[in-house]
Amino acid sequence: MQLTEPQLQTVTLDDGLNLAYRELGSGPPVLLLHGWPTSSYLWRNVMPVVARRNSVIALDLPGFGGSGKPVDVRYTFDFYERALDGLTAKLEMDDLGIAVHDLGGPIALHWMMRNPGRVTRLALLNTLVYPQLRPDLIEFLRTVSNPDTRDQLTGPDGLEGIMRTGLADPDHLTEDILAAVQHPFHTPEARQALALATLGLDPKEFAKIADWLPSLDIPVRIVYGERDQVLTDVADTMTRAAKDLPQAEVTTLPNAGHFLQEDEPERVGELLADFFAR
């Protein structure tokens, strides 16, 4: 069956925040969450495979993609969770599966911690989980928090650089992909929002996630690209997660980098489709 690329839709939450998302398929719901600096576009070639047996929703988190980019708020766990609460209520999503990448990981895990029983299956892809941060990530946060230096990372050249770094094969970064990543941040205000989107997550809450994680007793799938030059400690993170979640099935992709959805979309799609359709 031929499925077309999912198109962007929007919904306005009760508090006025606009959220953009892509939706495809029918069946039990699966929510896909991206990270920094991408959007639901990252999942476009993964969604059609998963959507053969599931209803798949890929969200643009606030501050990213086509969603609202307020600069007068703190992008805390509570702020992101209000967005997830609003989206799942508007789309009547419950008993859902979740697949997460990069910054989407801690956002989803914290929401799950606050909403026990709502998520039936979890997939972790090249993501953050624990409070310990490597020096390169600390330096990233310092750069993006300084108004004098944040455009190094949030401007067009910075976004191109992180996308190239995050791919095992830089040739996978086509002009269309680069444009899709850069376009949402073509104004100073949008670039400011992108910077803020990384800075409001309290490290103490990461520690709470780490303490809670071993109690999670739902099926878990871990899939990660081994050639991750963005989260360079991803193997350590996923090994620790597999120990905390002994029920987890782990697949490593030796020829994929941080943005494994771009390096190996078909493989990632098939792995997730099999997991969420069980």
Side-chain angles (χ1 to χ4, degrees):
M1 177 174 60
Q2 182 66 37
L3 294 172
T4 59
E5 179 181 318
Q7 299 301 303
L8 209 58
Q9 305 178 60
T10 58
V11 63
T12 301
L13 305 187
D14 294 342
D15 63 2
L17 180 66
N18 291 319
L19 293 179
Y21 66 96
R22 301 172 196 269
E23 185 173 12
L24 201 62
S26 61
V30 173
L31 178 64
L32 308 178
L33 295 183
H34 66 89
W36 202 95
T38 58
S39 68
S40 60
Y41 181 83
L42 182 69
W43 298 100
R44 70 199 178 283
N45 293 323
V46 173
M47 291 181 71
V49 185
V50 184
R52 291 170 185 163
R53 289 184 283 181
N54 289 90
S55 173
V56 186
I57 294 91
L59 172 65
D60 287 1
L61 289 165
F64 298 87
S67 287
K69 300 175 180 63
V71 296
D72 58 348
V73 301
R74 290 191 67 233
Y75 285 74
T76 61
F77 280 110
D78 285 343
F79 175 72
Y80 283 118
E81 285 168 16
R82 289 197 298 273
L84 293 182
D85 287 339
L87 180 80
T88 55
K90 289 283 186 180
L91 300 185
E92 299 181 342
M93 299 172 65
D94 220 332
D95 296 326
L96 65 151
I98 292 185
V100 299
H101 181 252
D102 191 85
L103 187 67
I107 291 169
L109 291 171
H110 200 273
W111 183 76
M112 291 171 62
M113 185 172 65
R114 296 264 186 93
N115 292 271
R118 290 194 64 184
V119 175
T120 59
R121 288 178 174 269
L122 170 68
L124 302 172
L125 289 74
N126 289 69
T127 190
L128 301 157
V129 178
Y130 299 104
Q132 295 78 17
L133 299 180
R134 289 179 64 92
D136 52 353
L137 188 52
I138 293 172
E139 182 59 30
F140 165 83
L141 293 172
R142 285 176 181 157
T143 302
V144 83
S145 65
N146 185 339
D148 294 330
T149 59
R150 67 185 178 214
D151 270 4
Q152 295 176 13
L153 297 173
T154 61
D157 291 343
L159 295 176
E160 179 176 357
I162 197 168
M163 292 305 297
R164 290 197 183 281
T165 300
L167 292 169
D169 183 353
D171 288 341
H172 290 158
L173 186 62
T174 66
E175 290 185 6
D176 287 346
I177 294 172
L178 183 57
V181 173
Q182 292 174 332
H183 178 72
F185 309 110
H186 65 281
T187 67
E189 292 78 12
R191 291 192 289 274
Q192 182 183 355
L194 179 60
L196 294 172
T198 68
L199 299 175
L201 300 183
D202 187 345
K204 294 178 182 178
E205 297 302 309
F206 277 85
K208 291 179 182 178
I209 291 170
D211 290 341
W212 161 82
L213 196 64
S215 69
L216 190 63
D217 60 359
I218 62 174
V220 177
R221 194 75 168 87
I222 293 174
V223 181
Y224 70 95
E226 293 183 12
R227 295 169 62 184
D228 192 332
Q229 297 301 310
V230 175
L231 299 178
T232 54
D233 59 344
V234 68
D236 294 338
T237 298
M238 295 306 192
T239 298
R240 181 175 173 183
K243 290 180 179 177
D244 284 341
L245 300 164
Q247 73 274 31
E249 300 175 67
V250 182
T251 298
T252 65
L253 302 179
N255 296 316
H258 181 68
F259 299 111
L260 63 167
Q261 301 95 327
E262 299 291 2
D263 277 321
E264 295 197 35
E266 296 84 2
R267 177 68 171 147
V268 172
E270 292 293 349
L271 290 169
L272 295 184
D274 173 71
F275 176 64
F276 287 115
R278 294 179 196 170

